[in-house]
Amino acid sequence: MAKKALPKPSRTSAATAPSRFSLPQADLLQLARDTVALATRGGASAAEVDVSEGFGQSVSVRQGEVETIEYDRDKGIGVTVYLGQRKGYASTSDFSRQALAQTVDAALAIARYTAEDPCAGLPEKALLAKQWRDPQLYYPWQLSVEGAIDLARRCEDAAFAVSPLVKNSAGATVSLQEGQFATANSLGFAGGYPSSRHYIACSVIAGKKGRNAEMPRDDWYSTHRDPADFPAPESIGDYAARRALSRLGGRKVKTCEVPVIFEAPIASGLLGNFVYAASGGSLYRKASFLVDSLGKRIFAPGINISERPDLPKGLASGPFDNDGVATRSRQVVSDGVLNGYFLSVYTARKLGMTTTGNAGGCHNLVLEPGQEDLAGLIRQVKRGLLVTELLGQGVNYVNGDYSRGAAGYWIENGEIAYPVEEITIAGNLKEMFMNIARVGNDRLVRGPTQTGSILTQRMTGAAPAPRPP
């Protein structure tokens, strides 16, 4: 029987977005401009203002019953003022004229008692975004609570239908999130736009009775700006169940140094580690193993990483960063060589460099894929690990040491042999980056970093030492 499609999404354009928000986009922009003017009249030598509002709806179902229904709506305005190179900041959720005046006064009062910072201040005017097209990141989902409950039930029901061994559920969730913002500063910059991000998720538990009873859990989710891009919810629940079932019979492994494949959802975290180490805040504090690495090879030859802020429907797309600086596409890594850092106006000044338009983070960082999918990468490994889950935060960015709890599968002769659990994988990010042998073409987009599965030539894997009696 054919699976039902998702409810047809609304095709409301950004121009009609006010019907979804309490204020039109134009009013939000004017509010930002007016508050900047209020700050400069109050004595600020420079000022910037950010205004935002958003709303969300989230429904969770567990074992067929509605567990939670959440609805939120929020708004806020943040005011940053400068008295020379003294900075003050204050915020409020009250948009009344009196509240805005009080917020500006509070920011000015803070600035008067703040130490001077030679790197503080607005961007150079020439760096600010001047003209841009609507990034088209807003796809409202006119989904009722009843409709969301139906989607969540279909997702979870599909998981239970896979096998009688799928005995329990941590729930299926359908969530929609939409918001808009406006920003302005005293150099004349003003801009903003609406955006959306929705997701469908399912987490289930597979059970096995008897002496060796097990209850492995796994999940799967899909997130998109446009609800039209979602697969059928049944496919999400089905895959979550199959992942949980595949973890039955998990074993531990002895300490060994073997190739490790990071599955795509986990591999994106390695790119995140790179971004953190190459970001201005880590660099000027000398808290990164990538200090003074520009122009040097930090990845294996053949590795290419680009930043693409103009990707259609990209989860980290945008024409300007949090400083109002224009974003641009660039090649961050070419053939393993680092071409650029991730810098805001402030961190660039601390380093004596120029901003790269990365206040707020990277914009769709894409690791160029190879020709093989995940199955192809597995076939390249005679004996090693496929990691599908990481636990803990064991990363030392000062020296690159990397140690994480993990679970996944043992590979023998190019095939998955059995699941593994309660293991630790260890290495050093500098070596891990240099030892990347292949990148899969199974790219999964869930955030600002995008990559397929990654095969590293070698890492140390081990079961934890037994606890003392």
Side-chain angles (χ1 to χ4, degrees):
M1 184 173 68
K3 294 178 180 177
K4 294 188 293 181
L6 268 69
K8 188 176 181 179
S10 163
R11 284 301 170 213
T12 306
S13 69
T16 58
S19 64
R20 299 285 280 175
F21 301 109
S22 62
L23 290 173
Q25 179 70 33
D27 288 6
L28 231 60
L29 280 167
Q30 192 58 51
L31 184 60
R33 291 189 183 101
D34 290 347
T35 308
V36 167
L38 196 63
T40 55
R41 286 198 301 270
S45 56
E48 55 188 341
V49 173
D50 299 298
V51 189
S52 65
E53 67 166 328
F55 64 90
Q57 173 187 290
S58 181
V59 171
S60 293
V61 168
R62 183 173 178 271
Q63 293 186 328
E65 298 296 324
V66 177
E67 190 165 64
T68 61
I69 299 174
E70 298 178 358
Y71 185 83
D72 61 88
R73 182 176 289 275
D74 60 74
K75 64 178 183 178
I77 183 165
V79 180
T80 301
V81 300
Y82 298 93
L83 296 175
Q85 291 180 309
R86 299 174 185 266
K87 176 182 175 181
Y89 174 82
S91 63
T92 182
S93 59
D94 186 346
F95 285 5
S96 69
R97 185 76 177 179
Q98 181 181 5
L100 294 178
Q102 292 173 342
T103 304
V104 167
D105 288 344
L108 287 166
I110 292 168
R112 293 187 186 99
Y113 292 97
T114 302
E116 288 193 0
D117 185 338
C119 297
L122 298 179
E124 289 74 15
K125 191 170 184 178
L127 297 174
L128 294 169
K130 297 174 178 62
Q131 293 181 338
W132 61 86
R133 294 179 297 176
D134 178 358
Q136 298 186 354
L137 304 177
Y138 182 51
Y139 297 85
W141 197 0
Q142 302 284 359
L143 182 67
S144 67
V145 169
E146 292 78 14
I149 292 171
D150 177 63
L151 292 179
R153 281 180 173 153
R154 286 165 55 190
C155 184
E156 187 185 51
D157 287 348
F160 283 125
V162 171
S163 167
L165 291 176
V166 180
K167 296 181 177 297
N168 204 344
S169 167
T173 300
V174 176
S175 176
L176 64 90
Q177 300 292 325
E178 301 174 19
Q180 65 172 344
F181 79 98
T183 182
N185 65 33
S186 53
L187 294 176
F189 171 80
Y193 47 85
S195 65
S196 57
R197 183 168 179 174
H198 318 294
Y199 72 86
I200 301 175
C202 186
S203 176
V204 295
I205 302 166
K208 190 174 182 181
K209 295 181 179 180
R211 178 186 296 181
N212 299 316
E214 298 177 78
M215 295 186 68
R217 173 189 303 206
D218 215 321
D219 62 75
W220 197 250
Y221 74 92
S222 184
T223 181
H224 299 279
R225 291 197 183 275
D226 186 349
D229 295 331
F230 278 113
E234 289 88 350
S235 67
I236 296 172
D238 181 279
Y239 192 47
R242 295 181 189 280
R243 289 175 69 90
L245 288 166
S246 70
R247 296 179 67 165
L248 288 167
R251 310 180 195 177
K252 299 176 182 178
V253 295
K254 296 180 179 180
T255 301
C256 55
E257 190 173 86
V258 293
V260 172
I261 299 175
F262 291 85
E263 189 189 24
I266 304 301
S268 64
L270 290 181
L271 271 190
N273 297 143
F274 161 61
V275 172
Y276 187 92
S279 293
S282 300
L283 295 166
Y284 84 74
R285 295 184 181 94
K286 305 294 183 183
S288 169
F289 63 91
L290 292 180
V291 170
D292 298 326
S293 291
L294 281 182
K296 298 179 182 178
R297 174 162 278 124
I298 64 168
F299 283 93
I303 296 298
N304 298 290
I305 303 174
S306 60
E307 186 175 27
R308 302 176 60 188
D310 57 350
L311 279 182
K313 301 181 184 179
L315 296 180
S317 293
F320 50 83
D321 72 356
N322 290 357
D323 290 328
V325 171
T327 56
R328 59 183 178 85
S329 295
R330 60 178 179 141
Q331 197 69 30
V332 180
V333 174
S334 300
D335 195 27
V337 176
L338 180 63
N339 298 325
Y341 291 135
F342 301 91
L343 308 177
S344 66
V345 168
Y346 182 80
T347 60
R349 288 172 181 164
K350 294 288 283 187
L351 291 165
M353 303 175 76
T354 301
T355 177
T356 56
N358 289 112
C362 65
H363 307 283
N364 302 319
L365 200 68
V366 180
L367 176 55
E368 183 178 290
Q371 301 299 315
E372 300 156 313
D373 58 11
L374 176 57
L377 297 188
I378 292 172
R379 285 193 292 269
Q380 301 297 320
V381 178
K382 184 175 182 180
R383 183 171 177 269
L385 285 167
L386 166 62
V387 174
T388 61
E389 182 180 10
L390 290 173
L391 304 169
Q393 302 295 325
V395 181
N396 184 329
Y397 286 99
V398 176
N399 59 21
D401 283 348
Y402 185 97
S403 179
R404 305 283 302 274
Y409 303 88
W410 183 254
I411 301 170
E412 286 281 357
N413 298 317
E415 295 182 352
I416 291 178
Y418 51 83
V420 294
E421 60 186 10
E422 295 183 23
I423 61 173
T424 298
I425 57 171
N428 185 279
L429 286 171
K430 291 183 286 188
E431 297 175 358
M432 290 163 63
F433 292 164
M434 288 295 293
N435 286 334
I436 293 176
R438 285 180 169 82
V439 179
N441 60 14
D442 56 330
R443 186 168 70 192
L444 183 69
V445 180
R446 286 182 170 179
T449 57
Q450 302 182 18
T451 178
S453 299
I454 292 176
L455 168 60
T456 60
Q457 290 177 343
R458 61 183 179 276
M459 289 184 69
T460 298
R467 295 181 179 178

